[in-house]
Amino acid sequence: MGNEPRLSPSSRRATMLVIDGDAGLDQLLKKVIQEFDLGLTLCQASTRDLDFAVLASSPDIVLVNLAVSRVCLYLLPEMQQMWPDVRVIFVAESDDVHLYAEAMQVGAYAFLPKPPEPVEFGIILQSATQPTRAKQRAAATPTA
C-alpha cells in the first residue's frame, strides 16, 4: 500500500441547481438539507439565467418549481444529454395526473406536490445524493 492521497467522502459535495424563486420552498429546502445532513451545495437560478454559464455548472441534482418554469419540463432531455447522471426533481402545486405522468415520461427522478412534505422531501433528496456518494467512495478507494 503506497502513500497515495485518499479523498475524504466529503471532499466533493453534491451540487443542486435550484430553479425556483419561491421563498417558502427555499426555506424548506435549506431546513431539509440541514436536518438530513445532506451536505448539498446549492446554486440558485431563474429561468432567465438558464444560459451556458449556469448549464456549465454540471449539477448532480436539479430541483425545478414547475409553477416558475414549466419550460424545464421540456428541457429535461437536453439536461440529461449534457449531464447524463443528473437527477431532476420537479415540484408543482398541481395535482394534475397528466403533468406528473409527463414529467416521469421525460425522465424526472421525482415529482413532488407543493408544498412538499419535509420527510418525503428529505428522503428523496437523500436518495438523489446516493450516486454522488458512491462515486466519491469509488474515487477514494485506491486501486491495485
Side-chain angles (χ1 to χ4, degrees):
M1 188 186 275
N3 289 332
E4 299 89 15
R6 292 184 53 111
L7 297 174
S8 130
S10 62
S11 64
R12 186 198 175 278
R13 293 164 53 119
T15 58
M16 178 189 287
L17 176 61
V18 180
I19 304 168
D20 182 28
D22 179 330
L25 186 58
D26 288 347
Q27 288 175 346
L28 176 60
L29 175 60
K30 289 174 184 173
K31 180 180 177 183
V32 167
I33 288 171
Q34 182 177 6
E35 286 182 9
F36 278 76
D37 193 25
L38 296 175
L40 285 168
T41 300
L42 299 180
C43 305
Q44 298 281 348
S46 69
T47 52
R48 294 185 313 272
D49 298 331
L50 289 177
D51 57 16
F52 185 75
V54 171
L55 295 177
S57 66
S58 188
D60 299 295
I61 304 166
V62 177
L63 177 71
V64 180
N65 180 353
L66 286 176
V68 172
S69 179
R70 193 170 281 237
V71 71
C72 287
L73 184 64
Y74 307 106
L75 291 176
L76 182 57
E78 285 86 7
M79 286 185 214
Q80 291 170 325
Q81 187 173 11
M82 288 180 66
W83 313 310
D85 296 328
V86 72
R87 276 88 56 210
V88 180
I89 300 168
F90 290 112
V91 178
E93 290 182 23
S94 172
D95 59 354
D96 183 347
V97 174
H98 298 291
L99 183 61
Y100 170 82
E102 188 174 0
M104 299 314 282
Q105 263 185 332
V106 296
Y109 183 81
F111 185 97
L112 295 168
K114 189 174 175 194
E117 193 277 315
V119 173
E120 179 183 14
F121 197 17
I123 290 169
I124 286 173
L125 291 177
Q126 192 171 45
S127 171
T129 63
Q130 292 306 313
T132 300
R133 290 179 184 163
K135 285 182 186 178
Q136 291 169 358
R137 284 191 297 274
T141 304
T143 57

